[in-house]
Amino acid sequence: INADLFTCGIASIIQSAGLGPKIGVRLPLLQGVTFTAVSPLIAVGLAAGGGVEGLATMYGSIIVAGIATFLAAPFFAKLLRFFPPVVTGTLLTVMGTTLLSVAANDIVAWGTAAAKAGADPIPGTLRGLAYALGTLAVIVIIQRIFSGFVATIAVLLGLVGGTLVAWLLGDANFSAVGEAAPLGVTTPFFFGIPKFSVAAIISMLIVMAITAVETTGDVFATGEVVGKRITPAHIANALRADGLSTALGGVLNSFPYTCFAQNVGLVRLTRVKSRWVVTAAGVFMIILGILPK
């Protein structure tokens, strides 16, 4: 988590502030680890032996895919006419629908672990489902009742509320927070020298091609909100930042990066259109990334 926050901060600064004339779209867009890579990376890691041994192959494929994305950015930008809003919108919808299973599996996994621990007479899966639905209900209620800033942080408030309830009922344990170091910097190649597998690299190249479409949609949407006409050059700059950030993620023990669509909605809701706000957020994430607690 520290590695991700640290790298995410750097990636967001690169995308929003820019690095040189051709890296970064210079729009209020936050970078984040793409969900598209979750299943492929798990498959790559397991095929490479699982555990720490599998991580080396995962990071090797991420680095290569990041470099390839950086180099291919201008060529992909020339294909914009093949990606009208209906295509990028459909892709984002399919991604969200597919990822429902990730959350569902988390709920079941937590419930199974709770049941094995014998912590509660209520079946573990039902208890996990109750936490999930309760958290979702809080988020929906906040968004229906409140507006402005409170509504925009409804997800955060729901997570905090759900965790607080879990802590009061003895299902959340913060002992690891006390044991964590007060300061810590992610070390490059912490899990060993990357390994390179052709099959793993091809998988990550496909992932990055999908995230390129996602980034394209996010850039166009943000450009519309801030009143900036988006050209192929802007898309190429955004994709170069994605590629550079992804390669950096492989070095700093994180994962592939892309523009996050969530922030597009926040820009529209808050009407705060300055890219320097995102740059400042990147600095905050870097600071959080060196605070393990």
Side-chain angles (χ1 to χ4, degrees):
I1 292 172
N2 274 138
D4 173 39
L5 285 170
F6 186 82
T7 313
C8 186
I10 297 174
S12 296
I13 292 173
I14 292 173
Q15 191 68 275
S16 60
L19 183 65
K22 293 187 177 181
I23 303 177
V25 73
R26 292 170 171 78
L27 286 173
L29 274 166
L30 276 171
Q31 296 289 98
V33 169
T34 173
F35 285 152
T36 312
V38 171
S39 295
L41 279 176
I42 291 174
V44 167
L46 291 176
V52 175
E53 182 181 351
L55 282 173
T57 303
M58 290 162 62
Y59 288 134
S61 65
I62 290 170
I63 292 171
V64 173
I67 295 172
T69 301
F70 183 93
L71 297 175
F75 303 102
F76 184 89
K78 294 179 180 179
L79 303 176
L80 286 182
R81 64 183 182 276
F82 298 112
F83 300 106
V86 67
V87 173
T88 54
T90 301
L91 174 67
L92 294 175
T93 302
V94 171
M95 284 173 57
T97 306
T98 304
L99 288 166
L100 289 172
S101 62
V102 177
N105 287 332
D106 281 347
I107 294 169
V108 173
W110 182 90
T112 302
K116 288 181 178 178
D120 199 278
I122 302 176
T125 301
L126 291 179
R127 193 172 179 85
L129 188 61
Y131 279 127
L133 293 177
T135 301
L136 180 61
V138 170
I139 294 170
V140 172
I141 290 171
I142 291 174
Q143 288 191 325
R144 295 285 292 181
I145 295 177
F146 298 95
S147 60
F149 178 71
V150 176
T152 64
I153 62 169
V155 174
L156 176 62
L157 295 176
L159 289 171
V160 171
T163 303
L164 181 61
V165 171
W167 177 68
L168 292 173
L169 295 178
D171 289 327
N173 189 327
F174 294 99
S175 61
V177 178
E179 297 169 0
L183 288 173
V185 179
T186 181
T187 306
F189 305 120
F190 180 83
F191 296 102
I193 300 300
K195 297 178 181 178
F196 302 97
S197 161
V198 174
I201 290 171
I202 292 174
S203 297
M204 283 303 101
L205 288 175
I206 294 173
V207 167
M208 293 307 293
I210 296 172
T211 60
V213 181
E214 180 185 3
T215 291
T216 300
D218 293 341
V219 170
F220 270 110
T222 305
E224 180 184 345
V225 173
V226 303
K228 183 174 183 177
R229 180 177 174 273
I230 300 301
T231 66
H234 290 114
I235 301 300
N237 292 347
L239 294 177
R240 286 191 188 96
D242 277 5
L244 178 59
S245 300
T246 296
L248 187 63
V251 173
L252 295 178
N253 320 295
S254 190
F255 300 98
Y257 283 87
T258 186
C259 293
F260 256 32
Q262 292 90 325
N263 199 59
V264 179
L266 281 179
V267 172
R268 188 183 295 275
L269 285 170
T270 62
R271 298 180 184 177
V272 177
K273 302 176 182 179
S274 171
R275 61 191 174 106
W276 301 112
V277 173
V278 174
T279 302
V283 174
F284 290 147
M285 283 188 281
I286 290 174
I287 294 172
L288 289 172
I290 60 175
L291 302 174
K293 285 190 182 296

